[in-house]
Amino acid sequence: MSFINTFRDLSARNLHILKTQPIAEISGSLGDLGTFLPIAIALSINGTISLSSTLVFSGIANILTGLFFGIPLPVQPMKAIAAVAIANAFTNGEIAAAGIFVAACIFVFSVTGLLRWFADVIPIPVVKGIQVGAGLSLIIAAGSSLSKLGWVTPSWTDNRIWAIIAFLFLLTTNYYRQIPYALVVLAVGLVFAIITATQGRDLPNFRPWIPVLTVPSDGDWRVGVVQAGVGQLPLTTLNSVIAVVHLAGDLLPEVTTPSITSVGLSVSIMNLVSCWFGAMPVCHGSGGLAAQYRFGSRSGSSIVFLGVLKLLIGLFFGNTLVGLLKLFPYALLGIMVIAAGLELASVGESLNTTGARDLRKDMPAGILGDREREIGPVLSDDERKKRYTVMFVTIGFLVGFKNDAVGFIAGMLCHWSFQIPDYLHSRRREGRIRLTE
C-alpha cells in the first residue's frame, strides 16, 4: 500500500510541475543529449550497436524512471565501455557481453546489500570528489573537442564562432533561468543538421524497428568482460549509483531520494533486458542529472517526455537517423556538455556546509544562521582543511588518471591517513585505562 501511495504522490507531483512549467521541463529533458548523442552516433556508425534498439529501450527506461522515481534521473551511456568499444571497434556481441556483465554484478551487489553498505562507508568528501571530478572531466573532454574547431571550419554550421555564441547564450541564462536553453540550442542544431542533410540527401526515412536478438559467443564474453566490463564496474558503482543518489538529495531535497538499492536494481534491469537486443549499455549518471537540472528539469515528467520521444523515433525511424544526427553541430553539443560539467562541479562548494548530508545529519537542533537558516555544526579550520584535502585528492587522481576507481582509492587512502592519529590516540587511551584497572 505504501508503494501505491508513493507512486500516486510522485505522479501528482510530476503532473503539477509539468502543468506549471512545461517549457522548463521539456528543455531540461534535453539537457543530457550532449553526452548521449555523440556516443550513440559513434557506436552506431561502427555497427557496434543498433540505434533503433538503443532509442527504444532507453526510451522505455526513461519513462519508467520518471514514473517510479519522480526526479530527472538520466539514462546515459556507460562511458568506459563506450570508449573501449569505439577505440577497438567492438562487435554487437562484445559490447553486449560487457553491458550484461556489469548489470549482473550490480544486481548481485544490490540484492545482497553490498551496494548499500558500500555507500554507507564512503565518506562524503570522497563522494563529492567523485562528483566534482566527473564534472571537470566532462568540461575537459568537451573543451578538448571544441578546441579542434576552426573559426569557420569544419562548416558554416559547426565552428568556433557558434561555440562562442552558444557559451554567451549560456551565460545569459545564469540570470534569466526561465529561458529554455537546451530547447533553443537543440532546435537551432537540428535546423542546421537538416539543412546540411538536405544538401547531401541524407534525411531519415520511415523504417519500423524489428528486434534482433544478440547472443554473445564465448569469445565475445572474454573480450567484452576483460577489456571493457571490468573497467566500467567501479564507474557504474561510484558515479552511476552512489554519487547520483547523493546528488539527487542535494539538488532536490523536497523529493524523496531514491534508495541506493533501487537505483542499482534499475541500472541492472535496464541492461539485463536491452543488451540482448543490440542496445547500448546505459546507466544513471550524476553528470546527466546535473545537466537536466541545470536546464530546467525538476520532476520525472521531463524524463517521461524524453522517453516517449525516443521510443517513437526509435520505433519508426531508428537507424536512418544516424546520417542526420552526425551532422548536429558539436559547437552546440560541446557547450551543453560544459554546462552539465559546471553544474556537477558546483556541488563541491557545499562540502563544509549543511549542503553536505553528513553535517546536516549530525547538526544539533536549534543552531540557526541568518534568516533562520541552519548553519550546522561549527567545523574547526583543521577539520575543514582535512575535508577539502580528501575531496581534492579524489578529484586530482580521478581527473589525472581519467579513472573513477583511481580517484576513489586515492581519496579513501587520504581519508584513512587522517584517521591514523585518532586511532593511535584511542588505542593508547584504552591501554592506559586497562593499566589503571
Side-chain angles (χ1 to χ4, degrees), residues 81-427:
I81 289 178
V84 174
I86 292 170
N88 296 281
F90 267 21
T91 64
N92 300 111
E94 289 167 347
I95 197 170
I100 294 167
F101 166 76
V102 173
C105 290
I106 296 297
F107 181 82
V108 172
F109 294 164
S110 299
V111 297
T112 59
L114 283 174
L115 204 56
R116 176 71 264 174
W117 172 84
F118 192 51
D120 288 339
V121 300
I122 300 176
I124 293 299
V126 174
V127 174
K128 286 194 175 290
I130 292 170
Q131 292 172 332
V132 176
L136 293 178
S137 296
L138 287 175
I139 296 170
I140 292 170
S144 176
S145 297
L146 288 172
S147 65
K148 298 175 184 176
L149 298 176
W151 286 105
V152 293
T153 56
S155 70
W156 69 269
T157 63
D158 192 11
N159 52 58
R160 198 174 295 174
I161 294 174
W162 282 114
I164 293 173
I165 293 172
F167 181 68
L168 293 175
F169 183 35
L170 177 67
L171 294 180
T172 302
T173 62
N174 287 330
Y175 295 95
Y176 302 98
R177 291 275 177 160
Q178 71 274 18
I179 297 176
Y181 180 86
L183 188 59
V184 173
V185 170
L186 184 72
V188 172
L190 280 178
V191 170
F192 285 173
I194 290 171
I195 292 173
T196 308
T198 301
Q199 294 171 346
R201 297 183 180 180
D202 197 14
L203 289 170
N205 53 73
F206 178 76
R207 185 177 298 175
W209 174 60
I210 300 175
V212 177
L213 192 64
T214 299
V215 181
S217 65
D218 292 342
D220 292 335
W221 287 108
R222 285 193 297 272
V223 173
V225 171
V226 175
Q227 293 190 21
V230 173
Q232 178 67 50
L233 192 55
L235 178 61
T236 297
T237 304
L238 297 170
N239 186 51
S240 303
V241 180
I242 296 172
V244 79
V245 169
H246 282 271
L247 184 64
D250 291 340
L251 296 179
L252 299 161
E254 72 279 5
V255 189
T256 301
T257 303
S259 68
I260 293 288
T261 300
S262 63
V263 174
L265 289 173
S266 176
V267 170
S268 59
I269 292 171
M270 285 191 300
N271 293 284
L272 288 175
V273 175
S274 65
C275 288
W276 294 100
F277 295 92
M280 175 176 63
V282 293
C283 59
H284 303 304
S286 55
L289 175 57
Q292 287 161 171
Y293 181 89
R294 169 62 181 81
F295 294 123
S297 291
R298 296 295 183 271
S299 76
S301 61
S302 62
I303 305 305
V304 173
F305 169 82
L306 178 63
V308 172
L309 195 63
K310 282 183 181 178
L311 183 59
L312 292 175
I313 293 173
L315 285 173
F316 300 114
F317 297 98
N319 292 329
T320 67
L321 283 168
V322 174
L324 175 65
L325 293 179
K326 70 181 180 181
L327 295 174
F328 195 99
Y330 191 79
L332 305 182
L333 281 179
I335 299 301
M336 290 179 66
V337 173
I338 287 176
L342 291 171
E343 186 71 30
L344 184 54
S346 69
V347 303
E349 179 270 337
S350 63
L351 175 66
N352 290 327
T353 71
T354 52
R357 64 174 56 197
D358 57 338
L359 299 184
R360 191 188 314 138
K361 178 181 65 177
D362 297 334
M363 181 178 57
I367 297 183
L368 300 174
D370 295 335
R371 301 181 183 176
E372 299 298 306
R373 292 179 300 179
E374 294 172 323
I375 60 174
V378 178
L379 295 174
S380 67
D381 289 341
D382 185 57
E383 289 171 327
R384 290 176 182 273
K385 183 177 180 180
K386 287 178 180 178
R387 287 168 67 88
Y388 269 122
T389 300
V390 172
M391 183 177 74
F392 279 105
V393 166
T394 305
I395 295 168
F397 276 78
L398 187 155
V399 174
F401 286 87
K402 299 180 180 180
N403 190 306
D404 283 46
V406 172
F408 166 73
I409 293 171
M412 290 301 298
L413 289 175
C414 182
H415 170 75
W416 287 329
S417 71
F418 287 134
Q419 310 305 311
I420 291 175
D422 292 336
Y423 173 77
L424 294 177
H425 176 72
S426 65
R427 296 291 293 179

